[in-house]
Amino acid sequence: MQQCDGKTEYIVLDPDSPDADLIRRAGEILREGGLVAFPTETVYGLGGDALNPAASEKIYAAKGRPSDNPLIVHIADMEHLVPIVRELPEKAVQLAEVWWPGPLTMIFHKTDIVPDETSGGLPTVAVRMPNHPVALALIRAAGGYIAAPSANTSGRPSPTNAQHVAEDLSGKIDMILDSGPVRIGLESTIVDFTEDVPVLLRPGYINIEMLRKILGEVRVDPGIRNGAAEKGVRPKAPGMRYRHYAPKASLTIVEGPRESVTGKINELAAKAMDEGKKVGIIAADDTASCYHASIVKDIGDRNTDKEIAQHLFSVLREFDAENVDIIYSESFNTPRMGQAIMNRLLKAAGHKVLSVP
Ligand code: TXA
Ligand code: MG
């Protein structure tokens, strides 16, 4: 065990069999209203007691997050769902049977025991049962309910390892639990069950086809469709409205046939470097060697969802540390998670896309 600085305790925990005494201590911090960052299978979360309004206020303060952007309540056992939701649609139960614990968040009408501070003033609550032994043990040790947004400073890419968390939150929270890199690397899929038909609010590891297989009809929130931002259509999930995951540099996505993309990016990069700019490029492993720029990052195999999803947020963070001025990225429409990957990349780019013939 080591101390990161004056205030934040930094603890390394085995991801598969975390030390019970350390979990108990982290749980006590949460029961007393403190904040503990912890791993999940998607990204690291910044946890506080979801039923304690003061703890939720501390989460907003530590992240610098607007307090109208609601938090996800994390549970470890199905019986903890009933007290916090007004009704439980049969379809949601079916989805939970397949995907909980897992990278799925569901939205329900909330009961009064969920404070407005946790739900961002909304009458609804987002609930998730994460699939990670440390997260599940911590939730139980904390009394059953942990409110946790991603453990990043508001506006920065979500943290996929504990060093990312420390970068953003050291000195601002009580404890960081480090169990190494996460498995998925993108935040959970969010499905809203408060309307007559389930609505996808945020794509993730579980894609729309996988949802429809279990639920039948599922709508996609018009606010997350391609081009919605340009048309001024607002996403229903408040957090999806903000420019998010954004690196400090200006990021542009270039899409089209492979040779046209490499040619165009090289041309743009050469021009920017002539102007004295530091240029970064994000490319898949089959094209990375075609580029000439200050820094070229190989994000992985373009046909392997897992690699691209796992690397995306850390690549964006690395560019911040390297102080690049301009980033050009290929687009990554991988077979399964492509929708989620492009959703995050488009937001990081502020929807700047250049299509080449
Ligand atoms: O994978 C994840 O979901 C991670 C890990 C830590 O569990 N958490 C996460 O939380 O990504 P956060 O706060 O970064 O994103 C939650 C999203 C935000 O866009 C928020 O606006 C939306 O969920 N949300 C939360 N409650 C909602 C509600 N009642 N109605 C609509 N959207 C909601
Ligand atoms: Mg977040």
Side-chain angles (χ1 to χ4, degrees):
M1 203 183 310
Q2 67 192 79
Q3 203 89 359
C4 246
D5 55 41
K7 201 174 158 235
T8 304
E9 223 179 308
Y10 192 95
I11 289 178
V12 176
L13 277 183
D14 185 311
D16 299 315
S17 55
D19 181 278
D21 286 334
L22 292 173
I23 288 286
R24 200 169 311 126
R25 223 153 58 67
E28 267 161 32
I29 292 176
L30 291 168
R31 285 172 185 267
E32 286 161 12
L35 302 186
V36 177
F38 62 98
T40 79
E41 79 278 37
T42 57
V43 299
Y44 273 72
L46 171 56
D49 178 355
L51 306 187
N52 176 350
S56 290
E57 279 173 351
K58 278 194 205 168
I59 292 177
Y60 290 110
K63 278 183 63 93
R65 171 169 174 146
S67 58
D68 62 350
N69 187 3
L71 308 174
I72 296 175
V73 176
H74 294 67
I75 59 172
D77 301 285
M78 213 48 194
E79 64 261 32
H80 281 127
L81 181 59
V82 178
I84 59 173
V85 302
R86 276 200 196 287
E87 76 272 344
L88 193 49
E90 183 47 38
K91 295 227 162 170
V93 175
Q94 282 171 17
L95 198 57
E97 273 165 8
V98 180
W99 281 110
W100 272 4
L104 167 73
T105 296
M106 294 193 277
I107 304 216
F108 304 103
H109 292 287
K110 76 172 190 73
T111 60
D112 292 340
I113 69 163
V114 180
D116 284 342
E117 285 78 359
T118 300
S119 71
L122 293 178
T124 55
V125 62
V127 191
R128 173 159 113 85
M129 190 188 291
N131 188 9
H132 195 296
V134 172
L136 293 169
L138 183 68
I139 294 164
R140 292 185 181 120
Y145 300 99
I146 297 184
S150 49
N152 51 284
T153 300
S154 189
R156 293 207 75 201
S158 293
T160 54
N161 62 44
Q163 287 70 42
H164 294 163
V165 179
E167 253 170 56
D168 285 10
L169 298 175
S170 246
K172 298 181 177 167
I173 63 177
D174 299 291
M175 188 180 267
I176 297 173
L177 303 180
D178 177 357
S179 298
V182 299
R183 197 158 47 77
I184 295 177
L186 298 180
E187 308 86 345
S188 60
T189 300
I190 303 181
V191 184
D192 183 358
F193 280 96
T194 66
E195 300 191 18
D196 49 347
V197 171
V199 186
L200 174 67
L201 301 190
R202 179 173 74 182
Y205 180 88
I206 306 167
N207 66 28
I208 186 76
E209 290 77 24
M210 292 153 86
L211 292 173
R212 286 184 176 141
K213 225 185 212 166
I214 300 165
L215 300 174
E217 187 184 1
V218 180
R219 288 197 198 121
V220 176
D221 178 15
I224 62 167
R225 291 214 186 99
N226 277 348
E230 292 80 352
K231 291 181 208 126
V233 181
R234 280 157 64 85
K236 183 166 180 189
M240 299 292 279
R241 293 174 197 153
Y242 303 105
R243 178 156 185 232
H244 201 192
Y245 318 111
K248 291 178 199 150
S250 143
L251 165 62
T252 302
I253 300 165
V254 182
E255 62 176 25
R258 201 163 301 187
E259 296 74 44
S260 314
V261 168
T262 50
K264 188 66 182 176
I265 289 181
N266 275 331
E267 177 195 320
L268 292 166
K271 188 161 167 279
M273 287 188 294
D274 274 350
E275 291 164 4
K277 304 243 167 70
K278 189 167 177 185
V279 177
I281 291 173
I282 306 175
D285 58 7
D286 57 337
T287 46
S289 63
C290 307
Y291 291 108
H292 316 285
S294 321
I295 303 172
V296 180
K297 298 217 185 271
D298 174 353
I299 194 174
D301 178 350
R302 81 171 69 248
N303 301 310
T304 309
D305 291 289
K306 192 170 176 264
E307 290 187 13
I308 313 245
Q310 269 179 349
H311 296 148
L312 180 62
F313 288 147
S314 52
V315 161
L316 294 175
R317 276 181 180 262
E318 284 164 26
F319 275 135
D320 275 356
E322 290 154 351
N323 284 310
V324 299
D325 302 300
I326 297 187
I327 305 168
Y328 295 108
S329 177
E330 299 180 341
S331 72
F332 306 104
N333 292 300
T334 54
R336 260 217 34 225
M337 264 194 278
Q339 198 189 3
I341 291 166
M342 289 313 293
N343 169 270
R344 308 308 194 273
L345 192 58
L346 279 161
K347 285 182 73 176
H351 297 272
K352 287 194 296 295
V353 183
L354 194 63
S355 293
V356 290

